[in-house]
Structure formats: structure tokens, C-alpha cells
Amino acid sequence: MTTGTTTSVRLTGITKSFLGVPVLRGVDLELRGGEVHAVMGENGAGKSTLLKVLAGVHRPDGGTIEVDGGEVSFAGPSDAQRAGIAIIHQEFTLLPHRSVAENVYLGREPVRRMQVDRRRMVADTRELLDWLGEDGIDPTDPVSSLSVAQRQVVEIVKALSTDARVLGMDEPTAALADHEVELLYDLVRRLRERGIAILYVSHRMREVFDLSDRITVLKDGQFVTCAPTSELTSEDLVRHMVGRDLGEYYPDRGVADDLGPVRLALRGAGNARVRDLNLEVRAGEIVGLAGLQGSGRSAVARAVFGVEPFTRGSMEVDGVARRVTRPRSAVRLGVALVTEDRKGDGLALRQSVRDNTLLVRRAALRGGRARAKSDVPALLDKVAVVARGEHQEVRFLSGGNQQKVVLAKWLAVEPTVLLVDEPTRGIDVGAKRAVHELLRDLAKRGVAVLMISSELPELIGMSDRILVMHDGALAGELPAGASEGAVMALATGHGVGEVP
Amino acid sequence: MSTLQENTLPAKQKATRATVHRRLHPTVIVYLALVALLVVGSVLVGLRGEVLLDQNGILNILTRATALGLVAIGQTMVILTGSLDLSVAYLVGLTSLIAAETMAGQDSMVLPGVLLALAVAAGVGLVNGLIITVLKAHAFIATLGVALILRGYLENNYTGPAGDVPRGFQHLGYDRIGPVPIAALLMLAVAALCWWYLTRTRPGYHMYAVGGDIEVARLSGVRTRRTIITAHVLCSVAAGFAGIYLASRLGSGAPYVGTDAGYDLESIAAVVLGGTLLAGGRGGIAGTIGGVLILATLDTTFDALEVDPFFKDVVRGVVLVTAVALYARRMVANRAHGRLS
Ligand SMILES: Nc1ncnc2c1ncn2[C@@H]1O[C@H](COP(=O)(O)OP(=O)(O)OP(=O)(O)O)[C@@H](O)[C@H]1O
Ligand SMILES: [Mg+2]
């Protein structure tokens, strides 16, 4: 890792179209060694595309890229790597079946006497992991045995191993829980001290204000502004991104009197991952489920939905005891699960937006309801999907818009119990607001919502009550508007709340 | 940074899980199955008062395994890369003809014959690779198309065996050390070479990467097209070796030696039986050789038992499906234990 505060990258007038549709329309960006430069913009604004141009993945249609004053052109990712540019993409770029070291050096394996020099690969990977203070990851472990947070660390090691002087990070915290985000901050700051130029894409305001020195805003593929972070307020930023003001608020909570019957109840339920769960969610309320990554939050949702069913205790849906052992039965009972892993569980990437939206409905319901297509536009509108049309394949949508399609797909079956796991991950501020309003609106219309989110402000802002999990069990319940400190205390196993 | 490790298991627990994992490795299952099969086969044949693994039996198994082994080694490479080759069977026939016709009974023409056959094989592999990478046709369709073209050529130009292999060259097919044919040893040498290539060299690493996730490979700077094309060329060359070997055994080239033996589907079956994921990215040569030996042992045992061909095919089908179901279960179990696949 060479230090050089003079390193700079300058993009001028970058344009890029996909099949004749312009995605980048003359974007300028300047990046200096030793700064964290945030790029913000709505879903589909072109942030990831810009990073991919810089990474040599896409060739720009027009405009120039200069590195240290000299113009460059990249024929592929390896050219960009040689120029000292490394990008951590929005989607994971790791092979689960291969070892950490093999992933880190993928495409650049050191060779000695015609063979891949495995010893050196492992040693160098270990050195980088040590430098990051990550001695819990062994370079010979398969990536499939690592947690999501550890995978993110491997992505970073992979980028650093190229001796990158310019590091692009596309929503690096989207898959991390709050406490893990702190660790990433630390890392980014250390890299900055080393004189590395960091391009940081994120939808989380707080992060951008904590970390960045300058912010560039894109809208519809166009450059809007670039200013030092200290000169911007979050209201300014939102106005630049969305083009109008959005106050800092969450939709009004329901009134306790409006609460309907208990829609979902768990009594002493448990399986291999969670135990002794007692909880009720009533029609009309949004119940937040908090906890650290690995505490069993998602496992609860997966169990209710029949993915990894409960093996003990009982579960009631609308007052009737039910044994749900597969998702199909759950859907039939009006239960829906919006998963956190949109690529793995959520979407058929090669199918159209419409087919994805109707996927569950067609699969689980019968008759005319299953065939209706006419309300697809309305559904997509509700969650503010930006797509070229209903027939565009989902894999060509921006990350945030894919997430919105997952939501639309579950709204299409009109659930009465809605489980949402990280529903706004990777969604821009404007759309996030839309999703929040949508969830509240559903609750008002009698849906019972169980919401999981690693973003505490969101969870606290949205929930009528908050259940906190620790180590596979409920640690306590907190009322609406509880403080972040109270939630974290329970989540880490220190605090006391009312045990439900 | 201690909190980041929250999800990892304590070291000891992790170690035990790793051993369980290793013990259940598909390659190990394959060889255990092979040993079990040899035992059961020996007992059944023994009940008839004969011996399965005598000099003749071993020779029989290894001879059957040689040609299929060569084809399956190549098939392993393309499947690992996330591709597939349905044209190998016709290519085996074609290369046997090219070798035998070029040799035309002269010892001096042995080397040219071999080289020409391999060159044509490489050419066919290159065409397969280019159709898949440049024209972006699915490997299934692309190689099926090439297979049909080869069939057309063979049907038009040959009615039966052609060419003549010099006596000296027939040694390749028939010489042996004890019960072990030289050709089988050569096949194992090719296997060892390919194993080394896949597990120790950069292009080999890249084949696993492309098969694992082509997009990830591309974003990491792997030249995905070159990798796929290389895999196809190597696969076809391996089929070429099989063709040359069969020419040496038959004494001439035969247009349908490859298809009569069903080397296209048979080689895919051997690869899958060997624990390689049909989707690519995981598996290897060692398993494939195990798969080939299992198929060869099954055939030899059935011949010794004189069971009827229909029953034979049923058992082969059952074995294949059972194996794949076993591997799939293992993967699901891994997932349930938090391994993401
Ligand atoms: N390979 C592709 N083919 C066609 N269209 C594409 C392709 N990649 C991106 N697009 C389109 O380009 C636009 C910008 O996408 P991009 O991924 O850059 O957005 P983004 O700003 O990163 O959004 P998000 O915040 O949701 O990640 C989107 O409308 C998307 O549909
Ligand atoms: Mg993006």
C-alpha cells in the first residue's frame, strides 16, 4: 500500500447508455488521495454504473478518465486494478465454495514455477487480515462458512490486496448491522489516513455525514452538485437528491383503540435457532423486532413463514393454531415474508418485473385472483419502482429498485400478516419514505406487521412496540419511541425490559 | 474488532464441524461407494463360483474405464467451468477415423496421425468455445449443434470402419503390466496432469471461478471467455485421445465407436457421479475417476452375472440418481448449519 496524497482521479463528462437509454449523462467527479468522497442519489441515479465505469467493468460512451493527471482507458477490470483502482461492488463478489485467500487473489493469483503460489497467497491474505485486526478469519476457510459481516471484510481485503490507491465502496454497510457499521467506519478512516482516496456510495445520511469530506449528488444520471460535507445539511442533500423537501419524520403511529384482533401469536415456540418465543402481533400494529446480527431475528420470520419451521410450542394465525411447515401454507394463510436477501430468496433475476411481481400470487392463489395483471402498475407505483417497463428483466434494475420489486411481489397477495426483514435496505430516502408510509397504511387497513431492521432510527421511528432479541430468545419489550440506548442494552444482553 | 466475530463458532466446535464436513466430501463418498461395490460385486460373482477381481476382471474394468475416463476428464473441465459438451461422442468417432486413415498402416505415419487427430479435436473445441462465448448460445444447444454437424459429416462419408492402424501402434491398446493396461496408466497420467492443472495453476483456478459465478469472475478481472474456450479445447482434446486409443484397439477408425458407447451422456453421468456440480464451480478430477471406475465395475459385474441389459440400465440409473440425491442432501444439510450453500 503506497502512500501518496497526490493521487487523484478525475472523471469528466462521463456518458453511458444501455441499449440506447442514457444512464449517465455527463458526470464529473474529482477524487483526491486521503479523502472520503460520498456519492449520493436516488435509486437508479447511476451511482453503481459510475463506479463500474471507474472499475473498467463498463466502457463509457463518452468522457475522459484521468489518473494522476494522465488520461487512461480501461479495457477491463484488470486494467483498472493495475491503475490502482479497486471497487467493492454493491452485490457480493465472492465465490462461496472457494477459500478466503482464493477469493482475495481471484484473477491475480501469484504464480511461482508455473503453479499458483498458495503459500504466499495465504500469507499475504493473513497479513492483510491482521492489519485490519481480523484474526478471527482464516485465509483457508471457505467463504461459505463466514458471516455476512466477515464476508464484507473479505471484500475489503480483496480490494486492498491490489495495492489500491483508489477504493470505491458501493453501499458497503447495506448488509451490516449497526454495531458492525462502526467497525467499518474505523476501517475507512484508517484507509483515509494512509492516503487512499475513497469513493463512498450510501443511502444512509448519518453515515455520509459521519464519514465523508465531500459529497457529490447525482440525479437521473446527471451531476447535480459537489460540496464539502461541512457546508451541507441533510435537508440540502435531500433537496438535491429528490428535488423537493422531505421533513425528517415517520408516519403517525396508530392509536391503541384501533388495534384489531391478534393475527399472529407464538406460544413457547422454538426451533434449532430460537427458543421460548411468546409474542402477539395484532391487526393494525407494527411490531419492531430488534437484535444484533445472528440474534435470531430473521430466524423468527423464517420460522413463522415455514422456511425453517418451529419444532416446539405453537403458533396461531387469526386465532387458529397452525402448523406451518412450508412457505406455501404460510402464503395460503395470508402470511408474507419480505426477505433480506433479495438475490438469494427474493427474485427471479432473469424474469421480468411483472413476472416477479406476480410470482407468489400465481404460485399460491387460485382462479381469477391469480391471473389478474391489471393491477401490476398500481403495485409498482406504490413502492415507486423505477424501471423501463413491466417487461424489463429484474437483473437490469438498480439494486434499490430490485428491493422494491420484492416488496411489490408480496403486496400482490394482499397478506394479513406481513413479515418484513430489512425492507428498506439499499432504498433511497424518497422511496424509503414511500415504504414507511406504505407499511403504516397497510397496518391501518388491518394488517399485522412484524418488522426487522438493523437501522435503529427506522425501527424506533416505525414501531408501535419493540421486541428485542438476544441470543435466540426474546430479551424484552420496549414501548414506542424507546431510546437507541435502551434497545442496544437489551440486544447485547445487558438491559432489562418487560419480558413479555 | 471482537464483535465482528460474533457469529463464528467457538474454535473447538468449528473444528468438529470441519471434520464432519471433510468426512462427507463427495470424493470420499465416491471411493467408499466404489469399494462397497467391489465387495458386493465380488460376493455376488463369488456365489456363482467365479472371481470378480481376478486378472481378467481387473483388466476388464480398467479397459472399460480407459476411454470413458479420458472423455470424462475433459467433460469435468467444461462442467466445472459451468459449461457442457454433448459433441464428444461423435468427436471420438471422428478422431479415431482421422488417426487411422492418416496412419494408413505405416509406422512412420503414427505421429502425424496422432497430431492431426488432436489438432482437429482442438479445432472442434475451439468452435464449441467460440459459439458459446461469442455467439452466446447455451452450451447445451451449441454443442448439440456441433454434434449434429459431426454426425452429418460421418454419415455422409462413412458407412463403417475405415483406415488402418499399424501393428506397432496396436501395442498402445493391448500392452499391459500384469493386469494393468498401459493405456489405463496413460489415462491416469492424463488425469493427474489435469488434476494438477485445475488445482494448482491460474487457468485452473479461473475455471472454478467462472463455473462458480461468471459475473463474480468477470468483476474480479478473470478473462471469462478465454477460460471457457480453454476448457472446451481441453475437453475436445481429451476426447481426441479417447478416439486415438480406440483406433489403436480396433485396428481402424470407426465412425460410431463414441456414440455406440454413449460417451456423451455417459461421461456427464460419470462426472456427476463423481460429485462435481452440474452447475459448475465445485468438484474435480479425482471424483470423476471414481465415477468412471464405478460405472466400469458395474458393467463388468453385470457381465459376469449375465444379467439382462434392461436390468443393467435400470441399476445404472438408480445409482446415478441416488448419488445426486445424496450430494444434494448434503448441501441442504450444510445450508441448515449456516453454510450458505
Ligand atoms: N447492464 C444494464 N443493462 C441495462 N440497464 C442497466 C444496466 N445496469 C444498470 N442499468 C440501469 O441503469 C440505471 C442506473 O443504475 P445504477 O445501478 O447505476 O443505479 P444506482 O444509482 O446504483 O441505484 P441504487 O441506489 O438502487 O443502487 C438503472 O435505471 C438501471 O436499470
Ligand atoms: Mg447501486
Side-chain angles (χ1 to χ4, degrees):
Chain A
M1 268 157 282
T2 41
T3 343
T5 36
T6 52
T7 308
S8 71
V9 173
R10 189 191 300 276
L11 303 175
T12 320
I14 299 291
T15 56
K16 175 77 193 169
S17 305
F18 289 112
L19 308 167
V21 181
V23 171
L24 296 175
R25 301 189 275 186
V27 176
D28 300 333
L29 185 86
E30 192 236 18
L31 191 61
R32 302 181 200 126
E35 78 163 342
V36 176
H37 193 138
V39 178
M40 298 198 74
E42 293 176 287
N43 296 132
K47 307 176 296 293
S48 299
T49 307
L50 186 66
L51 256 67
K52 284 184 178 163
V53 165
L54 188 57
V57 175
H58 293 320
R59 225 177 227 277
D61 300 336
T64 57
I65 307 175
E66 288 167 58
V67 178
D68 291 335
E71 194 177 325
V72 291
S73 112
F74 302 141
S78 37
D79 285 355
Q81 278 171 12
R82 272 192 286 278
I85 298 169
I87 306 287
I88 299 171
H89 293 280
Q90 188 166 5
E91 314 294 346
F92 273 115
T93 56
L94 299 177
L95 301 165
H97 301 322
R98 305 291 275 173
S99 75
V100 170
E102 284 165 349
N103 269 287
V104 166
Y105 282 95
L106 179 57
R108 300 172 290 109
E109 297 84 356
V111 176
R112 188 162 160 262
R113 290 203 215 115
M114 291 169 67
Q115 299 207 36
V116 172
D117 191 346
R118 292 201 287 184
R119 204 175 299 162
R120 197 176 122 208
M121 218 161 75
V122 169
D124 289 357
T125 306
R126 183 165 288 135
E127 196 175 300
L128 281 166
L129 285 166
D130 285 348
W131 182 73
L132 295 178
E134 290 291 336
D135 38 13
I137 303 175
D138 193 281
T140 58
D141 280 346
V143 163
S144 59
S145 71
L146 303 181
S147 71
V148 176
Q150 288 176 320
R151 287 176 199 211
Q152 191 60 266
V153 171
V154 176
E155 291 274 8
I156 293 170
V157 169
K158 184 174 172 181
L160 293 179
S161 70
T162 62
D163 273 349
R165 292 166 301 147
V166 178
L167 182 60
M169 303 174 120
D170 199 348
E171 302 192 30
T173 54
L176 302 184
D178 266 4
H179 65 291
E180 293 160 341
V181 170
E182 290 294 330
L183 304 176
L184 189 92
Y185 278 17
D186 202 53
L187 223 147
V188 169
R189 293 197 180 107
R190 280 158 69 190
L191 295 175
R192 171 168 57 188
E193 273 161 32
R194 295 220 149 196
I196 292 172
I198 295 165
L199 200 58
Y200 195 93
V201 176
S202 176
H203 289 295
R204 298 190 184 178
M205 289 281 175
R206 199 201 259 186
E207 234 169 79
V208 167
F209 278 100
D210 280 355
L211 271 182
S212 69
D213 303 300
R214 286 197 291 166
I215 302 175
T216 290
V217 177
L218 300 183
K219 182 166 172 56
D220 300 330
Q222 269 167 325
F223 172 86
V224 177
T225 185
C226 174
T229 310
S230 53
E231 291 172 18
L232 287 168
T233 64
S234 57
E235 289 80 44
D236 294 337
L237 205 49
V238 169
R239 202 171 325 110
H240 285 310
M241 277 162 48
V242 189
R244 62 194 156 89
D245 283 313
L246 290 173
E248 182 70 39
Y249 72 92
Y250 288 92
D252 286 338
R253 292 203 172 81
V255 196
D257 308 344
D258 293 351
L259 289 190
V262 175
R263 289 240 191 250
L264 174 71
L266 301 181
R267 314 219 186 276
N271 60 17
R273 287 163 187 276
V274 292
R275 56 183 195 277
D276 304 329
L277 296 172
N278 288 298
L279 64 85
E280 290 184 347
V281 187
R282 308 177 85 95
E285 70 174 343
I286 298 180
V287 175
L289 194 56
L292 300 180
Q293 187 129 359
S295 62
R297 295 170 308 183
S298 303
V300 173
R302 289 164 63 81
V304 170
F305 195 58
V307 182
E308 277 174 68
F310 290 119
T311 50
R312 297 184 297 272
S314 64
M315 167 170 142
E316 288 168 22
V317 179
D318 289 320
V320 185
R322 302 279 188 180
R323 187 149 286 276
V324 174
T325 51
R326 16 170 228 164
R328 188 181 172 80
S329 345
V331 174
R332 288 267 172 87
L333 293 173
V335 180
L337 168 64
V338 178
T339 55
E340 56 175 337
D341 173 14
R342 62 172 169 259
K343 260 206 160 159
D345 306 327
L347 290 173
L349 288 172
R350 282 172 187 277
Q351 290 201 306
S352 70
V353 170
R354 175 201 275 179
D355 287 334
N356 270 284
T357 308
L358 294 174
L359 188 70
V360 192
R361 186 198 282 183
R362 283 178 178 155
L365 302 182
R366 272 184 284 240
R369 271 214 320 147
R371 283 193 300 273
K373 292 193 187 89
S374 52
D375 54 348
V376 171
L379 278 169
L380 297 175
D381 224 41
K382 254 189 196 163
V383 290
V385 173
V386 182
R388 217 152 291 148
E390 278 179 41
H391 297 287
Q392 193 173 9
E393 277 182 35
V394 163
R395 67 190 157 128
F396 294 126
L397 295 186
S398 77
N401 283 306
Q402 292 183 355
Q403 182 65 32
K404 295 175 196 169
V405 175
V406 177
L407 265 169
K409 162 176 119 168
W410 289 107
L411 294 181
V413 288
E414 295 168 6
T416 52
V417 176
L418 181 61
L419 313 163
V420 286
D421 197 352
E422 308 287 359
T424 62
R425 170 173 292 171
I427 286 188
D428 67 51
V429 274
K432 204 169 199 168
R433 172 65 49 79
V435 169
H436 289 158
E437 277 166 5
L438 183 76
L439 288 176
R440 180 51 74 186
D441 187 50
L442 287 169
K444 288 209 165 121
R445 286 193 282 141
V447 177
V449 181
L450 186 67
M451 172 168 164
I452 298 170
S453 173
S454 297
E455 247 182 280
L456 280 183
E458 173 181 78
L459 195 80
I460 294 167
M462 288 297 296
S463 307
D464 297 312
R465 303 184 276 134
I466 302 169
L467 301 172
V468 188
M469 293 199 68
H470 171 67
D471 201 17
L474 286 174
E477 178 175 331
L478 295 165
S483 74
E484 292 190 22
V487 176
M488 280 312 282
L490 278 175
T492 49
H494 297 303
V496 267
E498 316 157 28
V499 173
Chain B
M1 297 221 143
S2 61
T3 21
L4 261 189
Q5 275 99 56
E6 202 134 55
N7 287 336
T8 49
L9 298 165
K12 203 176 149 203
Q13 204 176 336
K14 197 167 168 177
T16 43
R17 201 170 71 183
T19 34
V20 171
H21 185 63
R22 209 164 298 139
R23 198 177 58 214
L24 285 176
H25 196 285
T27 314
V28 180
I29 303 181
V30 175
Y31 283 93
L32 287 178
L34 177 61
V35 171
L37 179 63
L38 286 171
V39 171
V40 173
S42 297
V43 170
L44 288 179
V45 175
L47 289 178
R48 294 166 55 103
E50 293 163 27
V51 186
L52 176 68
L53 287 182
D54 58 1
Q55 174 113 346
N56 225 338
I58 295 176
L59 182 67
N60 217 323
I61 292 175
L62 290 177
T63 304
R64 281 178 200 272
T66 303
L68 178 61
L70 286 167
V71 179
I73 289 167
Q75 195 72 262
T76 308
M77 298 219 191
V78 283
I79 290 182
L80 277 177
T81 314
S83 192
L84 190 79
D85 191 347
L86 293 175
S87 67
V88 282
Y90 287 105
L91 185 58
V92 166
L94 180 68
T95 48
S96 77
L97 287 163
I98 292 173
E101 287 189 317
T102 310
M103 290 177 195
Q106 298 160 265
D107 279 324
S108 60
M109 291 306 283
V110 165
L111 192 61
V114 168
L115 292 181
L116 187 62
L118 293 181
V120 169
V124 171
L126 185 67
V127 170
N128 278 331
L130 287 174
I131 296 177
I132 292 163
T133 54
V134 179
L135 302 183
K136 304 209 184 305
H138 191 281
F140 190 98
I141 301 303
T143 58
L144 184 64
V146 168
L148 293 178
I149 293 171
L150 293 180
R151 182 175 79 180
Y153 176 79
L154 291 173
E155 279 181 354
N156 254 307
N157 296 286
Y158 298 95
T159 46
D164 180 19
V165 167
R167 278 200 81 80
F169 190 62
Q170 294 213 4
H171 285 300
L172 173 69
Y174 288 95
D175 278 6
R176 55 195 170 88
I177 307 172
V180 183
I182 299 282
L185 291 178
L186 289 178
M187 184 273 284
L188 290 177
V190 171
L193 194 69
C194 291
W195 172 82
W196 173 81
Y197 182 81
L198 280 170
T199 58
R200 295 288 185 271
T201 72
R202 277 181 76 167
Y205 271 55
H206 295 173
M207 286 182 185
Y208 278 97
V210 169
D213 191 327
I214 191 167
E215 199 52 29
V216 167
R218 199 169 73 88
L219 290 176
S220 306
V222 172
R223 278 188 272 236
T224 53
R225 279 188 185 191
R226 181 188 290 191
T227 306
I228 294 172
I229 292 173
T230 307
H232 272 282
V233 169
L234 292 176
C235 172
S236 295
V237 168
F241 274 121
I244 292 167
Y245 162 70
L246 290 170
S248 131
R249 265 194 86 80
L250 300 173
S252 66
Y256 304 116
V257 285
T259 42
D260 286 346
Y263 283 143
D264 36 16
L265 298 183
E266 196 90 338
S267 64
I268 294 172
V271 171
V272 172
L273 197 56
T276 294
L277 277 188
L278 195 51
R282 191 176 203 187
I285 296 288
T288 298
I289 297 300
V292 168
L293 288 174
I294 287 181
L295 291 178
T297 306
L298 272 179
D299 282 348
T300 307
T301 311
F302 287 143
D303 282 354
L305 295 176
E306 289 165 13
V307 296
D308 72 289
F310 171 68
F311 180 70
K312 213 162 114 174
D313 285 337
V314 169
V315 173
R316 292 161 64 98
V318 169
V319 167
L320 188 63
V321 172
T322 312
V324 173
L326 214 80
Y327 302 145
R329 272 186 79 90
R330 197 177 139 276
M331 303 253 290
V332 171
N334 280 342
R335 224 172 281 163
H337 286 102
R339 292 167 186 279
L340 281 168
S341 57

